[in-house]
Amino acid sequence: PRSVASIEMTAFYNCTGLTNIVFEGNAPAIDDGSFAGVTANAYYPADNTTWTEDVRQNYGGTITWIPYDVLPFTDVRVNSYCYEPIGWAVEKGITNGVDATRFAPNSPMTRAMLVTVLYRAAGSPEITVSTNFTDLNVGDYYYSAVVWANINGIVNGVDDTHFSPDAPVTRQQIAAILYRYAKFTGSLVENQGSLEGYTDKALVEPYAVTPMAWAVGEGIYRGNGSGILNPAGTATRAEI
């Protein structure tokens, strides 16, 4: 935590289970031997000038010092798998937090959220047409994104008059949307993987068979380690 001002000698002596250390704020005073016997990655804020080369030492262990750009989200840990991708997406302007200090990485990705990400990635084109979806309002943050994606064949409604924007997007829907987006942008989609090794391949709905095979071929989906695609399952904001 930011309140740590010093780390005394042997504070983490021979803590072999310690593999990641995340520092926030200014560099504390660290005694020699504080990390004796420890092999770990230590993350420090890149834009903080107190983290000089003199501070970034081994302290009796083997410490790899890794700078990180500070995100405003208190619910995204620096050493989590999603920290850098979220930082990249925020920097590019294709995603935001749910508020100024929370990203909600473990919340489900909704249909509206996914379409909005792709719309922003495409440069947020101007929309001059309306939609037949009665569950969209012009003032919604995702309105233009959904209309754009629909008229370009990237996304469909759940029926002729409903889009269901707040419904969690399923894994097979994600594959279908990304597949259509790839075709829309001119990317090659011939790299088809095989669904034969997945025990639940029969649960993939017909519209999603080719997109799911493409997602497997591109390495987007690898199953859950047990040979399961889980096509009707959902994905979190962090996973997307």
Side-chain angles (χ1 to χ4, degrees):
R2 292 176 180 271
S3 59
V4 173
S6 63
I7 300 176
E8 297 181 355
M9 183 180 296
T10 70
F12 296 97
Y13 174 76
N14 210 30
C15 290
T16 55
L18 182 63
T19 58
N20 290 291
I21 309 161
V22 179
F23 290 99
E24 300 175 347
N26 293 339
I30 307 175
D31 289 343
D32 290 339
S34 294
F35 294 103
V38 173
T39 299
N41 294 324
Y43 300 85
Y44 66 95
D47 60 353
N48 189 313
T49 58
T50 66
W51 288 95
T52 63
E53 188 173 349
D54 289 340
V55 174
R56 304 193 308 271
Q57 303 297 321
N58 282 316
Y59 300 102
T62 303
I63 308 299
T64 301
W65 293 91
I66 303 172
Y68 68 89
D69 293 323
V70 179
L71 292 178
F73 308 124
T74 58
D75 55 356
V76 183
R77 296 294 298 172
V78 173
N79 59 337
S80 67
Y81 76 94
C82 61
Y83 190 90
E84 288 190 13
I86 289 173
W88 174 86
V90 170
E91 180 183 0
K92 297 297 183 182
I94 61 176
T95 193
N96 299 316
V98 295
D99 58 36
T101 60
R102 295 183 306 121
F103 187 80
N106 296 321
S107 295
M109 175 67 84
T110 67
R111 288 166 53 82
M113 288 176 185
L114 177 58
V115 171
T116 301
V117 166
L118 298 180
Y119 175 67
R120 292 172 179 166
S124 301
E126 184 180 358
I127 299 301
T128 58
V129 297
S130 59
T131 178
N132 292 327
F133 298 136
T134 60
D135 54 355
L136 302 184
N137 295 312
V138 174
D140 294 331
Y141 78 87
Y142 49 77
Y143 181 85
S144 293
V146 173
V147 175
W148 165 83
N150 182 236
I151 64 176
N152 285 291
I154 297 170
V155 70
N156 299 317
V158 295
D159 58 38
D160 290 341
T161 58
H162 296 86
F163 180 74
S164 195
D166 296 325
V169 63
T170 67
R171 289 168 57 85
Q172 61 188 350
Q173 288 173 352
I174 293 168
I177 292 169
L178 294 181
Y179 177 78
R180 296 171 191 146
Y181 179 77
K183 293 179 69 175
F184 170 77
T185 60
S187 300
L188 297 177
V189 292
E190 285 78 11
N191 187 20
Q192 294 287 308
S194 173
L195 304 184
E196 290 305 313
Y198 297 98
T199 57
D200 59 348
K201 64 181 184 297
L203 300 180
V204 178
E205 295 185 35
Y207 79 88
V209 171
T210 296
M212 288 290 275
W214 168 80
V216 169
E218 291 291 336
I220 297 171
Y221 287 158
R222 298 184 177 89
N224 66 353
S226 301
I228 296 175
L229 286 168
N230 192 20
T234 59
T236 66
R237 285 167 52 83
E239 288 172 331
I240 297 294

